[in-house]
Amino acid sequence: MMEQRQNHCKGCMESVQISSEKLERLVEIATRGRESVPDEEYARRMEQCQQCPGLQYGTTCRYCGCLIAVRARLQDSVCPFPLVPKWDSSAAI
């Protein structure tokens, strides 16, 4: 059991589920004092993340381990998809 804990990222385990209320709270905390994208850009990014094969558990990016709602909301974030970031408006999903 102890070995399993050391070899797995808790963000990647199926047992990690985040409620929408907790996710909203985490986004609020992460964006304090930081520039956020407008709602339209946030929605565009989230839509691309929802269609990405790297989305895990409906909340987490497999490439960076981030909560997509947090990463998509921050102005200075970039999509971590290998080679062709999906948030680039010219990139196809």
Side-chain angles (χ1 to χ4, degrees):
M1 183 71 152
M2 183 62 134
E3 183 176 320
Q4 183 179 16
R5 286 183 183 168
Q6 294 173 345
N7 292 330
H8 293 90
C9 170
K10 78 173 192 174
C12 299
M13 296 173 55
E14 289 187 41
S15 63
V16 176
Q17 300 294 323
I18 299 174
S19 68
S20 59
E21 295 81 18
K22 185 172 183 178
L23 187 56
E24 286 179 29
R25 178 81 174 127
L26 291 171
V27 170
E28 177 193 329
I29 291 169
T31 56
R32 284 184 193 158
R34 299 175 73 181
E35 193 171 347
S36 298
V37 294
D39 289 342
E40 296 80 21
E41 176 63 12
Y42 175 72
R44 187 184 72 81
R45 289 179 175 186
M46 289 296 290
E47 183 177 328
Q48 290 174 329
C49 289
Q50 294 293 330
Q51 297 176 29
C52 180
L55 179 64
Q56 295 183 317
Y57 318 118
T59 58
T60 306
C61 175
R62 73 180 292 189
Y63 301 110
C64 67
C66 294
L67 295 170
I68 61 167
V70 171
R71 193 172 183 106
R73 184 52 90 175
L74 297 172
Q75 178 71 42
D76 59 351
S77 288
V78 295
C79 171
F81 191 84
L83 304 177
V84 182
K86 295 188 178 283
W87 293 351
D88 181 354
S89 59
S90 63
I93 292 179

